Amino acid sequence: MKKTILFFAYFLLVTSCGVKQTRQSLTSGDYDAAINTAVEGLRNRKEAKGKQDYIYLLEEAFAKAKERDLQNINYLIKDANPNNTEKIYNTFLQLNNRQELIKPVLPLHLIKENRNAIFPFEDYSDQILNSKNALAKHLYDNSKALLVTKDKINFRRAYDDLMYLNSLSPNYKDVSNLINDAKLKGTDFVSVYTKNETNMVIPVRLQNDLLDFSTYGLNDKWTVYHSNRQKGITYDYELAVNFRQINVSPEQIKEKELIKEKQIKDGTKPLLNAQGQQVKDNSGQVIMVDNMKTIKATIYESRQFKSAQIVAKVDYIDFKTNQLIDTFPLASEFVFENIYSKYVGEKNACESEYFPYFDKKAVPFPSNEQMIFDCGEDLKGKLKGIISQNKIRK
């Protein structure tokens, strides 16, 4: 009994909140929000007395929403503006979808008036089809008009409209060909190349790797980068990576000698007083203490070092006007370092951080070409960052 009372109280609370929300939506003119809330509230136990307010509100919201939509459609038709075709089509869809939303909860009985709620449904199939055809024609005609301009933004608008048209009416006339045309015309093609302004030879594999834009993942919907120019493509921009300076340091080996000392326990010995006599405890036993001794080691440390640095800049150039749009600095450094050591004396006299170096030996220095290439790996990541953050066309 107690559980039944609690459930009923909860049911009344939830219904009351839903009705209040529905009424607020209706009062504010958000009729579809009111309809959605009312329908949701009527999906279960629609015969309950507590649901009567939902039915009245749903009936009123539906009538007002329908009236407003039909008035809007009449106004848009009288306006005779082709740009209104999408609004007309979507409004007819809205009228139909609203009816389909309500149908599953019908019939809805009003107890006090002893009647079913009235929802004057209409068949909008002809209006939907006609407005859809009108919208398709408008999208097609407008897109073709945009495609004969010389503005890439227009081409992109045409592409989006044609894609919408294709989803609306698949295989409509020559839309597939027009989509391909709009895509090609709306795309910015960027030619990417390197320019060597240094007095050093840049490794071919570095240039190839740097220009392998297939690994960058930078192509987007409207921008395509080519490191090798392709026939039949009109390029809009150039992106030049200008190598300004390449520095490779001499091979260096620096050596240093370190003296290490440490005291360690070496057994025990009797404790002696100032007179050199053994000290005993209260029971007469000789007190023993740690016998400490000093151990020593000499570390001979060698450090191989070589570095490479590349200084470059990235130029954005408008290919048609041959004007510099923007430029960004680009620099990278790679350091080769190998530390190895040996010791003479007691190993335990050395700190533990030296131990790994005792197992290492001298290794051949990398060539200048390898150093420059390794430096270029970091350079590639930075180049990708510059391009990602500074798009050709904002």
Side-chain angles (χ1 to χ4, degrees):
M1 182 65 178
K2 186 177 180 180
K3 288 184 178 179
T4 303
I5 294 172
L6 287 174
F7 173 77
F8 185 68
Y10 175 75
F11 172 75
L12 289 177
L13 177 63
V14 172
T15 302
S16 176
C17 292
V19 168
K20 181 179 179 182
Q21 181 181 348
T22 305
R23 186 173 287 110
Q24 288 175 343
S25 297
L26 180 59
T27 303
S28 65
D30 192 352
Y31 302 137
D32 281 302
I35 291 170
N36 289 331
T37 307
V39 169
E40 191 63 33
L42 291 167
R43 290 192 192 280
N44 297 306
R45 297 171 58 87
K46 65 179 183 179
E47 301 85 3
K49 287 184 179 180
K51 298 294 185 81
Q52 288 291 291
D53 285 343
Y54 272 136
I55 300 174
Y56 280 107
L57 292 169
L58 179 60
E59 189 179 50
E60 182 181 355
F62 176 80
K64 289 184 175 180
K66 178 181 177 181
E67 180 184 17
R68 184 166 66 183
D69 282 352
L70 291 176
Q71 286 178 349
N72 287 339
I73 289 173
N74 288 334
Y75 171 78
L76 293 172
I77 291 174
K78 289 179 180 178
D79 187 42
N81 186 337
N83 291 325
N84 292 334
T85 53
E86 184 174 5
K87 291 180 182 178
I88 294 172
Y89 170 67
N90 286 333
T91 306
F92 275 122
L93 281 182
Q94 183 172 269
L95 284 162
N96 185 72
N97 292 340
R98 189 181 295 128
Q99 294 180 164
E100 295 303 315
L101 178 67
I102 295 174
K103 283 179 181 179
V105 298
L106 297 181
L108 296 170
H109 189 68
L110 292 167
I111 299 172
K112 287 183 180 181
E113 300 181 29
N114 192 26
R115 68 173 176 85
N116 286 337
I118 300 172
F119 299 98
F121 289 166
E122 307 286 347
D123 181 3
Y124 295 109
S125 55
D126 287 342
Q127 292 94 325
I128 290 174
L129 183 59
N130 291 336
S131 59
K132 176 183 173 181
N133 290 338
L135 174 58
K137 183 179 184 306
H138 169 66
L139 291 170
Y140 182 81
D141 293 343
N142 190 60
S143 296
K144 291 199 73 172
L146 291 173
L147 287 174
V148 297
T149 66
K150 296 182 179 181
D151 187 343
K152 279 189 180 287
I153 301 302
N154 283 343
F155 302 149
R156 296 177 185 185
R157 286 172 51 202
Y159 175 85
D160 291 338
D161 284 350
L162 289 166
M163 290 295 291
Y164 176 38
L165 171 54
N166 198 47
S167 66
L168 197 67
S169 300
N171 303 317
Y172 187 91
K173 296 186 178 181
D174 58 341
V175 165
S176 295
N177 291 334
L178 293 178
I179 287 175
N180 293 333
D181 188 29
K183 179 66 173 173
L184 181 64
K185 287 183 174 180
T187 298
D188 284 325
F189 288 96
V190 185
S191 173
V192 188
Y193 66 93
T194 60
K195 185 178 180 181
N196 187 0
E197 297 178 355
T198 73
N199 57 0
M200 295 186 66
V201 176
I202 299 174
V204 174
R205 63 176 180 148
L206 171 58
Q207 295 189 64
N208 292 339
D209 192 54
L210 202 62
L211 295 178
D212 184 9
F213 268 63
S214 63
T215 63
Y216 281 67
L218 290 171
N219 290 347
D220 57 35
K221 181 180 178 180
W222 294 115
T223 311
V224 175
Y225 298 87
H226 287 164
S227 55
N228 294 309
R229 290 198 176 187
Q230 299 180 12
K231 291 183 178 179
I233 297 294
T234 301
Y235 288 91
D236 304 278
Y237 300 96
E238 287 184 333
L239 196 155
V241 182
N242 297 288
F243 291 95
R244 310 296 299 278
Q245 193 174 358
I246 297 178
N247 302 313
V248 181
S249 73
E251 298 175 357
Q252 304 173 48
I253 299 179
K254 295 183 179 181
E255 297 179 338
K256 61 181 178 180
E257 180 180 315
L258 304 167
I259 306 297
K260 299 293 181 180
E261 291 187 1
K262 184 187 293 183
Q263 283 198 327
I264 62 171
K265 179 180 176 181
D266 184 25
T268 60
K269 64 180 180 179
L271 178 62
L272 303 178
N273 59 20
Q275 289 74 35
Q277 298 172 335
Q278 293 181 349
V279 178
K280 297 180 180 180
D281 58 21
N282 293 336
S283 62
Q285 296 293 321
V286 176
I287 298 174
M288 303 299 291
V289 294
D290 291 340
N291 182 37
M292 304 300 293
K293 73 172 184 179
T294 301
I295 58 175
K296 297 181 180 181
T298 302
I299 299 175
Y300 299 96
E301 182 182 275
S302 300
R303 177 175 176 263
Q304 293 177 277
F305 178 85
K306 187 176 182 180
S307 66
Q309 182 188 46
I310 296 177
V311 178
K313 67 171 183 171
V314 181
D315 290 335
Y316 284 72
I317 301 167
D318 188 322
F319 186 78
K320 295 176 181 178
T321 63
N322 202 33
Q323 296 293 312
L324 179 66
I325 301 172
D326 215 335
T327 186
F328 302 93
L330 181 64
S332 181
E333 184 177 23
F334 178 78
V335 174
F336 164 80
E337 185 178 58
N338 179 51
I339 301 174
Y340 58 96
S341 305
K342 66 178 181 178
Y343 67 91
V344 176
E346 295 278 353
K347 181 179 181 181
N348 289 336
C350 308
E351 289 85 352
S352 60
E353 58 261 28
Y354 287 98
F355 289 2
Y357 299 119
F358 295 151
D359 299 324
K360 292 186 176 182
K361 296 181 180 180
V363 295
F365 281 93
S367 65
N368 287 1
E369 180 178 332
Q370 182 63 47
M371 291 289 295
I372 295 171
F373 180 78
D374 290 338
C375 191
E377 284 295 299
D378 177 60
L379 200 72
K380 184 175 181 179
K382 291 182 177 179
L383 175 59
K384 180 178 179 179
I386 288 174
I387 298 173
S388 298
Q389 297 169 26
N390 302 275
K391 294 295 184 179
I392 291 288
R393 192 190 296 266
K394 300 295 190 293

